Amino acid sequence: MHDRLVAASWPGRTAGVAALVVAVLLLGMARSQAAEGATLDSSKNAKSLATLAARIDAHIGDPQFADASWGIDVVSLDSGKTLYAHDADKLFVPASTGKLYTAALALDTFGPDYRIPTSLFATEKAGRDGELRGDLILVGYGDPTLGFDKRASWADVLATAVRKSGIKSVRGALIGDATWFAAPLYGSGWEAADLQSWFGAPVSALSVDENVVRVEVRPAPQFGAKARILFDPPGSAPTLDNQLRTLRAPAPTDISLYRAPGEHVLHAFGTIASNAGPQFYRLAVHDPALIAVEQLRAALARQGVSVQGKSRSIYWPESNDRLASGSLERVADVWSPPLSEIVSRGLKVSQNLYLQNLLLMVGAKTAAEERLAGKESPAFRSTEARGIQALRNYLRRIDVPLDGVLMEDGPGLSRRDLTSAAALTALLAHLGDNPAARAFRLGLPEAGVDGSLTGRMRNSAAQGRIHAKTGSMAFTYALAGYALTAANERLAFAIMLNNYRRPRDAGRPTAELDAIAIMLAELSERSAP
């Protein structure tokens, strides 16, 4: 363009000069086209298989990762070839990508259409006068979704069934039985600091409202007065020690909420400015089984059924011998959504309770089968330990290398969980073409579209082409799932970054993993079979 302008500005020149200018112009255009072609070739090569390794190596070799560790494995589902590997057999903390193992195990054990019951039993038959001279026992079998669907009240369904059965009053107690899980309320390796938060909610065979209570904090109308603290649902409220004061604005809002592990008292302290808006929190509840039976008591009252006795809950190591003997009278059941929906929600939003409950359900099923077969060992093994053993048996059956999987819990919340990238891709490769694993694949978040990937890789080559499980905790990040390349080749991949301390001038740590996933989606060349 510059040469064109020069020629046009010299209108009186001779033909020889004009010819020279034209020659210069053509030479410049040729050089420009050659440079443009080189740029296009470079762009094409940058998205070819031959340069994939160089691109990823350059990315993970950045000085900001000098003290960190990467584990990466990329395998083609179409050709079976490994397209890239970096420390693929070394062990890394997987964070929530560990949920992939539990989701696959649960779907294999129960099937995608399985629904989990929550059952109501009576210890006696009601008399002709409609009085039950015994207890009502609400038994949970692991449904983590009880109370999640606000369109229908599970408690009202059961209370209506009680009234229709002829029971008008209950002389005994309401008991919430969570003994189906012979395990502590928290997964192995869970940190005490997490147990107050919604993501560290207790794991119970009888769970309700995802074992979380929502907390709203507002300033009091008077300066110096205690702040207003509201709980939703109200029946899930802990015992409150409120020392949180309202200060005249401008003043700092510095709210602290603390409940010691295993305690029921929530301590609220600090300050809130008088002009502050409402502050919202989600906290783990203390006794989910007791909250469930209290909700049932309220529903029974709405149906005109009175209960004289108190409400109480039982967990392992307590036991319910009458339930085990089969001597109880079944009143009614409510059922969970299909397991495929539970797995999908557990993977999409990385719900720890769901995946830990699913692992314990597998362990409880194993224990029940051993009892029926008369093969129960006298040595105690927790439901969680049985679930982990079932996971290892499943992985052995599908040829996932067991030395690459050292899981201790179901959701990957424990820092003692370890896995290799190669083990994760072996699992993903096995499930990639399996028709029975459709629920597993559909449950994965989609880049730029939904779940924990809603805001990631949006408007990039990866949007709609990456379906993967995320994982993150302090200094630990992971992404594992499926990629569809620009050449429509299907890949299974696992990317783990451990011991990464983000420099001040660096971007989000998850963006460092996303950059590699985008490289996979951009591939315009297929691997040879």
Side-chain angles (χ1 to χ4, degrees):
M1 182 64 73
H2 178 70
D3 288 332
R4 291 175 187 269
L5 290 174
V6 171
S9 65
W10 291 354
R13 296 292 180 177
T14 63
V17 174
L20 178 62
V21 171
V22 170
V24 172
L25 171 62
L26 292 175
L27 178 61
M29 291 177 65
R31 288 175 176 172
S32 176
Q33 290 173 353
E36 183 179 356
T39 301
L40 290 174
D41 288 344
S42 175
S43 176
K44 181 179 179 181
N45 288 339
K47 298 173 183 177
S48 70
L49 291 169
T51 56
L52 176 65
R55 293 182 74 195
I56 299 178
D57 284 345
H59 180 72
I60 67 177
D62 190 279
Q64 67 176 310
F65 303 120
D67 297 326
S69 301
W70 286 92
I72 306 173
D73 198 39
V74 182
V75 177
S76 170
L77 299 182
D78 296 332
S79 70
K81 289 188 173 182
T82 297
L83 305 189
Y84 182 86
H86 177 88
D87 285 344
D89 294 318
K90 289 188 176 180
L91 295 174
F92 291 80
V93 177
S96 283
T97 56
K99 289 181 171 67
L100 296 173
Y101 292 119
T102 309
L105 170 68
L107 287 168
D108 181 76
T109 302
F110 297 104
D113 298 324
Y114 177 72
R115 294 174 182 265
I116 309 164
T118 300
S119 303
L120 185 63
F121 295 91
T123 56
E124 311 285 345
K125 288 185 177 181
R128 292 184 179 181
D129 57 357
E131 183 178 62
L132 173 63
R133 296 172 178 82
D135 303 324
L136 280 178
I137 305 177
L138 182 65
V139 179
Y141 294 97
D143 179 8
T145 70
L146 195 68
F148 176 75
D149 186 355
K150 303 304 180 183
R151 296 170 300 178
S153 168
W154 65 270
D156 284 316
V157 170
L158 290 180
T160 300
V162 169
R163 177 179 56 78
K164 290 183 176 180
S165 73
I167 298 175
K168 298 178 181 178
S169 63
V170 179
R171 182 180 294 181
L174 275 182
I175 301 172
D177 186 331
T179 59
W180 185 243
F181 291 166
L185 292 174
Y186 306 101
S188 293
W190 290 16
E191 297 181 356
D194 293 338
L195 303 185
Q196 176 176 284
S197 302
W198 65 270
F199 57 84
V203 180
S204 171
L206 182 54
S207 297
V208 66
D209 299 327
E210 298 184 336
N211 296 347
V212 168
V213 60
R214 291 167 291 281
V215 184
E216 179 181 347
V217 181
R218 291 178 176 270
Q222 301 84 23
F223 304 135
K226 295 179 180 179
R228 294 179 294 174
I229 301 179
L230 306 174
F231 297 94
D232 180 30
S236 299
T239 302
L240 179 64
D241 174 24
N242 183 10
Q243 301 300 324
L244 182 60
R245 299 289 176 177
T246 304
L247 298 184
R248 183 192 299 270
T253 292
D254 181 17
I255 298 172
S256 294
L257 302 174
Y258 173 72
R259 178 173 58 83
E263 296 294 327
H264 190 256
V265 178
L266 177 67
H267 301 273
F269 53 94
T271 60
I272 183 170
S274 58
N275 63 346
Q279 311 291 308
F280 296 97
Y281 306 88
R282 289 191 296 164
L283 301 180
V285 300
H286 172 69
D287 189 345
L290 182 62
I291 292 170
V293 292
E294 284 296 295
Q295 291 184 12
L296 178 59
R297 179 186 290 271
L300 289 168
R302 289 192 291 270
Q303 294 295 323
V305 179
S306 62
V307 180
Q308 297 180 28
K310 294 183 178 180
S311 298
R312 63 184 182 91
S313 57
I314 55 174
Y315 299 89
W316 173 84
E318 293 183 73
S319 62
N320 187 338
D321 295 335
R322 296 195 62 176
L323 179 63
S325 68
S327 62
L328 299 177
E329 300 286 334
R330 185 183 296 271
V331 178
D333 304 288
V334 289
W335 298 87
S336 75
L339 192 73
S340 58
E341 294 184 20
I342 298 175
V343 166
S344 179
R345 176 165 171 76
L347 294 180
K348 291 284 188 186
V349 301
S350 206
Q351 229 291 358
N352 292 329
L353 171 67
Y354 284 28
L355 274 299
Q356 183 69 2
N357 264 30
L358 291 179
L359 177 71
L360 297 186
M361 282 171 51
V362 173
K365 180 176 185 289
T366 301
E369 290 172 344
E370 290 180 0
R371 285 194 297 270
L372 287 174
K375 298 180 180 179
E376 188 174 17
S377 170
F380 172 74
R381 293 173 62 209
S382 74
T383 307
E384 183 182 54
R386 291 175 181 274
I388 292 297
Q389 184 58 53
L391 173 63
R392 296 187 65 79
N393 294 341
Y394 167 69
L395 296 178
R396 182 184 294 109
R397 176 160 49 87
I398 64 173
D399 294 326
V400 172
L402 291 182
D403 56 355
V405 184
L406 298 173
M407 296 295 294
E408 289 201 354
D409 69 347
L413 187 57
S414 171
R415 286 189 176 272
R416 300 204 307 240
D417 292 331
L418 294 171
T419 189
S420 68
L424 277 171
T425 55
L427 174 77
L428 292 163
H430 172 78
L431 299 174
D433 284 323
N434 188 339
R438 184 172 183 269
F440 175 89
R441 297 190 296 271
L442 290 177
L444 295 174
E446 183 175 350
V449 176
D450 65 9
S452 56
L453 286 180
T454 301
R456 292 171 58 176
M457 295 176 272
R458 186 176 292 175
N459 300 322
S460 74
Q463 181 163 332
R465 287 182 172 268
I466 296 291
H467 294 77
K469 181 71 197 74
T470 58
S472 64
M473 55 178 63
F475 313 115
T476 299
Y477 309 92
L479 186 69
Y482 300 104
L484 182 65
T485 72
N488 290 326
E489 184 170 10
R490 299 170 307 143
L491 311 178
F493 70 89
I495 307 168
M496 289 182 285
L497 173 60
N498 280 192
N499 307 314
Y500 176 57
R501 181 175 58 185
R502 181 181 68 87
R504 290 184 179 180
D505 58 347
R508 291 180 297 103
T510 53
E512 307 296 350
L513 283 72
D514 294 349
I516 298 174
I518 291 171
M519 294 179 198
L520 302 181
E522 288 176 339
L523 279 172
S524 56
E525 180 183 345
R526 294 178 64 89
S527 61

